[in-house]
Amino acid sequence: MFKSQNNSSFSLDWINQIPSSIVIIDTNFNLISASPRWQANYRLELNDIEGKNFIDLFPELSQDLQARLKYSLDGLRDIKFKYNAKNCQYSSKDSIWHLNPWKDGYGNIIGVIIKVEPISKTQELEIELHKTKLILNQKSSVAKIGSWDYDVQNETLNWTPIVNKIYGLSSDFKPTLENSINFYVEESQEIIKKLVSEAINSGKPWNEKLQLKKSDGEVIWVNTIGRPKFKGSKCTRIIGTIQNINESTLKKENNVNEISSEYPLFEKVPLGMTIIDMTTGKFLDVNQNFTKLTCFNKEHFLGHNYKKFINGQIKNKIADLKVQLTEHGFFKPIKCTYTNQKNHNLNIKITGTLIENKDGVKGLLCTVENITTQAKLERNLKDTISSSREKNEQLLNFAHMVSHNLKTHATNFSLLLNFLNDETGKVQRNKFMSMLFSASDNLSETIKGLREIVAVKSSINEEKKPLSLNESLFVVEQNIAGLLKETNGKIINEIPDTTVVKALPAYLNSILTNCLTNSIKYRSQDKKPIIILSVEEDKNYTILSIEDNGLGIDLDRFGKQLFGLYKTFHRHKDSRGIGLYITKNQMDAMKGKITVESTPNQGTTFRFHFNKK
């Protein structure tokens, strides 16, 4: 590969001697040298641009220019490129660039020589004419496409002679929109009428494959394209094309039959199967089990690109699947969800293998398996394992907790009894007896707390009920009426009488009792306790707020310990550190949650989120 003058086996001094406008670039499109005239025409100095990318010098031309340079490097000679000066910054004159391969002494292509010549009006017209003829000839000989034009205002239709041939009509046939549509088969007629209407009323273009019945009765497939044209907000014309695609369709059907014939079990396997054209991405065939799975008939898929039917789960994997097909000839099974015509959500597993018939037509054979039942069983098994693991962990934690707590009490009893046994003085023995009674009370409290925790765990599978929140509050208020009176406490209830929460009755009573008594228990000594109850609703939860004006909690310090067992945050004689722990477990058991806001010496707001499900 020629990259610089230093690597050249021959001199480029000749370029400085010629009067023509010439520039030379290497295979990487880097500028190697340019004649003085070329430099003068484009007002560029060789010292400034030597070695720079030629395309970067003309960014306005990059796309067309790069394509032609590649053709030249492939060996094509005398490729013409029209340079429009108005689009570029270096020259004020239009010109024609002649691109030719630049070869070394061994015939190897090492770059491109570009010769620049002024352009005349005649040359410009000849180039455009040649380009137009080439496009038209390609359309006529390869695609056999007919063009048509419908005047919406005057309701007149004109088309080219190729359309007459497609319809099987004589050259003197006078087309109208109505008689041209009548040639389509009944189902296709309804579609084309709708397409024309949408184009006129909504400006919607179309590109559809439909069936047309020729004048001799032969039914063919055609590809019809329509593009509406507007003046202001009104559609005035529709222009379009029509192409007979029957031959290509028949050829594709033959290829499908050949591929299918090589897979005799295609219709017999108990799985959905599809064959996709690797070139176009369109469905070539689907078996009966696939149609049963999707609840669509074959025609819903055949001839359509597979991307129309896949969701984002698979679209994100397409690049990786293509790599697997290229490297291994198959891709590993992928699992995703699919919604069939009956709106049933299915879990499916897809595998794919490259196939090829005797004519070299490549396809992708896919198996599609409904694994909805299997996926459900797997989910249930995972849930069971997760639940068992969680319960085992809870049981282990509870065992550690019981062991630790009872061991502490046992040690305390043992020490006090030893002290009592060794003591002879009456006063001191009475003191130890008092300590034993206190230890006994503490043990009873511990056992009571553990019993309450067990009660929460054992009720976890009970069914929740819709409960009136105000009715439950009324019962709790009656139970703490004496405490409210003793402390001059006040409850402000802003909860609507219609509010209902889904909960276990015993849990709801316990949660309300615990939270209201805590608000009174941890009140400020210089304030009368005030408790405000309110409710808000969101999509998933009914949220009960219980706000007080008490001591508050330093959440920065104790936030992570707030719902821990035996965790206390105030020096209150009745603090056991069990209430919030049990309340949290009760809310968790009902699939709810608790959030807290608190400021020390100002008060606390607990929000209980009762799950609506």
Side-chain angles (χ1 to χ4, degrees):
M1 182 182 292
F2 188 94
K3 292 187 177 180
S4 69
Q5 279 180 286
N6 294 333
N7 294 332
S8 176
S9 59
F10 49 90
S11 174
L12 290 175
D13 291 342
W14 58 270
I15 200 170
N16 294 319
Q17 310 300 322
I18 61 173
S20 303
S21 179
I22 290 177
V23 64
I24 300 176
I25 62 175
D26 66 15
T27 54
N28 292 324
F29 306 149
N30 296 323
L31 191 143
I32 300 302
S33 188
S35 67
R37 186 171 178 182
W38 188 92
Q39 297 176 54
N41 284 347
Y42 293 96
R43 297 191 291 277
L44 293 167
E45 293 290 336
L46 184 59
N47 291 336
D48 297 331
I49 60 175
E50 185 177 5
K52 291 188 177 181
N53 190 284
F54 186 73
I55 294 174
D56 291 343
L57 295 175
F58 299 92
E60 303 86 351
L61 313 175
S62 60
Q63 188 172 355
D64 291 338
L65 179 58
Q66 186 169 357
R68 285 164 172 77
L69 288 172
K70 286 182 178 179
Y71 288 141
S72 186
L73 288 173
D74 288 338
L76 294 179
R77 297 183 56 79
D78 200 25
I79 298 174
K80 293 182 176 63
F81 177 77
K82 181 185 175 185
Y83 169 82
N84 292 309
K86 66 179 181 180
N87 296 329
C88 301
Q89 57 178 313
Y90 297 120
S91 175
S92 60
K93 295 180 181 180
D94 292 347
S95 57
I96 295 293
W97 292 5
H98 298 267
L99 281 61
N100 282 285
W102 177 37
K103 300 181 180 180
D104 63 13
Y106 301 98
N108 300 314
I109 296 175
I110 58 174
V112 179
I113 297 179
I114 303 174
K115 183 178 181 182
V116 180
E117 292 183 346
I119 185 172
S120 66
K121 194 66 177 177
T122 302
Q123 285 177 311
E124 185 174 358
L125 290 173
E126 285 178 354
I127 291 171
E128 292 300 325
L129 181 60
H130 176 73
K131 183 178 178 182
T132 303
K133 282 183 177 180
L134 181 62
I135 294 172
L136 291 176
N137 287 338
Q138 288 175 337
K139 274 192 173 184
S140 177
S141 61
V142 178
K144 296 181 180 177
I145 298 175
S147 301
W148 54 268
D149 186 325
Y150 177 62
D151 187 327
V152 177
Q153 291 177 321
N154 298 316
E155 297 184 352
T156 57
L157 176 65
N158 294 295
W159 62 34
T160 59
I162 292 180
V163 182
N164 293 75
K165 292 181 180 180
I166 292 173
Y167 274 73
L169 300 169
S170 62
S171 59
D172 59 354
F173 179 80
K174 301 297 182 184
T176 65
L177 182 63
E178 183 179 0
N179 64 26
S180 65
I181 291 177
N182 288 339
F183 279 94
Y184 287 89
V185 300
E186 185 175 351
E187 184 180 346
S188 294
Q189 281 186 29
E190 298 304 315
I191 296 174
I192 194 69
K193 286 177 182 177
K194 182 181 178 182
L195 294 173
V196 172
S197 175
E198 289 178 344
I200 294 172
N201 297 318
S202 306
K204 185 178 178 181
W206 76 78
N207 185 342
E208 289 288 336
K209 294 178 178 64
L210 302 173
Q211 284 186 298
L212 182 142
K213 191 174 183 179
K214 296 173 63 175
S215 60
D216 60 3
E218 180 189 359
V219 177
I220 62 171
W221 282 94
V222 296
N223 187 72
T224 172
I225 298 174
R227 297 285 183 269
K229 300 295 180 181
F230 280 75
K231 280 190 177 180
S233 61
K234 192 171 184 180
C235 177
T236 57
R237 294 170 60 218
I238 304 177
I239 61 172
T241 60
I242 184 170
Q243 180 185 14
N244 182 349
I245 59 171
N246 215 46
E247 292 180 5
S248 60
T249 302
L250 288 173
K251 183 178 180 181
K252 185 167 288 186
E253 288 175 354
N254 291 334
N255 287 335
V256 171
N257 292 333
E258 289 178 11
I259 292 176
S260 299
S261 66
E262 295 177 16
Y263 295 89
L265 297 179
F266 188 74
E267 287 292 350
K268 297 179 181 179
V269 294
L271 304 172
M273 297 192 78
T274 71
I275 297 176
I276 297 172
D277 188 323
M278 283 299 292
T279 304
T280 64
K282 294 181 179 180
F283 281 97
L284 298 179
D285 200 7
V286 299
N287 70 355
Q288 290 298 322
N289 280 313
F290 184 80
T291 61
K292 289 179 183 178
L293 182 71
T294 62
C295 299
F296 289 104
N297 57 30
K298 281 192 175 188
E299 287 66 30
H300 182 74
F301 298 98
L302 298 186
H304 294 283
N305 194 289
Y306 73 91
K307 292 181 181 179
K308 179 180 177 181
F309 306 98
I310 62 176
N311 57 26
Q313 289 176 284
I314 300 181
K315 284 181 180 177
N316 294 333
K317 299 178 181 178
I318 287 178
D320 179 56
L321 297 181
K322 287 182 177 179
V323 171
Q324 291 185 50
L325 288 171
T326 302
E327 294 180 353
H328 309 294
F330 64 89
F331 60 76
K332 295 178 181 178
I334 56 174
K335 296 179 181 179
C336 63
T337 57
Y338 173 78
T339 305
N340 66 16
Q341 190 183 25
K342 294 182 179 179
N343 285 326
H344 294 160
N345 292 321
L346 307 177
N347 295 96
I348 60 174
K349 181 172 73 175
I350 304 173
T351 58
T353 304
L354 283 178
I355 57 176
E356 186 174 341
N357 70 359
K358 61 184 180 181
D359 294 328
V361 178
K362 290 185 178 181
L364 177 64
L365 179 67
C366 292
T367 61
V368 184
E369 182 181 359
N370 184 359
I371 58 169
T372 303
T373 303
Q374 177 185 337
K376 186 176 181 181
L377 290 173
E378 288 178 358
R379 284 196 299 271
N380 290 341
L381 180 59
K382 287 179 181 178
D383 290 343
T384 302
I385 293 173
S386 177
S387 177
S388 299
R389 185 183 294 114
E390 182 180 350
K391 288 180 179 179
N392 285 338
E393 289 175 356
Q394 291 175 351
L395 183 61
L396 185 62
N397 289 337
F398 186 73
H400 287 161
M401 183 171 61
V402 171
S403 173
H404 177 269
N405 291 342
L406 295 185
K407 182 180 179 181
T408 300
H409 287 293
T411 301
N412 190 35
F413 269 108
S414 177
L415 290 171
L416 288 173
L417 287 170
N418 287 333
F419 291 148
L420 180 65
N421 186 53
D422 295 338
E423 184 58 53
T424 56
K426 185 176 180 180
V427 174
Q428 194 63 31
R429 286 177 65 84
N430 288 338
K431 184 177 180 181
F432 284 132
M433 285 298 296
S434 176
M435 293 173 69
L436 279 169
F437 281 121
S438 296
S440 176
D441 290 340
N442 290 337
L443 176 60
S444 297
E445 284 294 322
T446 297
I447 293 173
K448 180 182 178 182
L450 293 174
R451 207 166 47 235
E452 289 176 0
I453 294 169
V454 172
V456 173
K457 300 298 182 184
S458 62
S459 303
I460 204 164
N461 292 321
E462 291 184 19
E463 186 175 348
K464 295 189 294 183
K465 299 177 181 178
L467 301 173
S468 168
L469 190 53
N470 272 335
E471 287 182 10
S472 299
L473 277 168
F474 177 76
V475 173
V476 173
E477 284 183 44
Q478 295 302 309
N479 293 337
I480 64 171
L483 188 59
L484 284 169
K485 185 174 182 179
E486 180 186 7
T487 59
N488 291 319
K490 184 176 182 181
I491 293 177
I492 301 173
N493 188 347
E494 298 177 351
I495 300 171
D497 287 336
T498 56
T499 302
V500 172
V501 296
K502 292 194 74 172
L504 297 177
Y507 282 10
L508 180 60
N509 186 284
S510 172
I511 290 167
L512 295 174
T513 300
N514 187 56
C515 195
L516 292 175
T517 53
N518 276 355
S519 293
I520 298 170
K521 184 188 300 182
Y522 301 111
R523 65 189 182 277
S524 294
Q525 294 303 315
D526 57 345
K527 301 177 189 175
K528 294 179 180 180
I530 298 176
I531 306 168
I532 302 173
L533 307 176
S534 61
V535 160
E536 57 183 304
E537 304 276 354
D538 68 13
K539 183 179 179 181
N540 300 313
Y541 297 98
T542 300
I543 305 167
L544 168 65
S545 295
I546 301 181
E547 180 182 356
D548 65 45
N549 63 340
L551 296 174
I553 304 169
D554 188 344
L555 294 179
D556 292 336
R557 183 179 176 186
F558 300 116
K560 293 182 179 179
Q561 308 171 37
L562 191 59
F563 299 106
L565 186 61
Y566 303 132
K567 300 296 182 182
T568 58
F569 316 108
H570 301 289
R571 294 180 179 178
H572 195 282
K573 64 179 181 178
D574 296 328
S575 295
R576 294 187 299 156
I578 292 178
L580 284 179
Y581 176 83
I582 291 175
T583 298
K584 174 69 163 57
N585 276 266
Q586 288 171 333
M587 289 300 295
D588 288 345
M590 296 188 294
K591 307 299 181 184
K593 58 184 180 180
I594 308 175
T595 56
V596 185
E597 292 179 8
S598 187
T599 304
N601 300 317
Q602 293 187 26
T604 303
T605 301
F606 282 90
R607 289 187 174 86
F608 300 89
H609 299 246
F610 291 92
N611 200 314
K612 293 182 178 181
K613 295 182 180 178

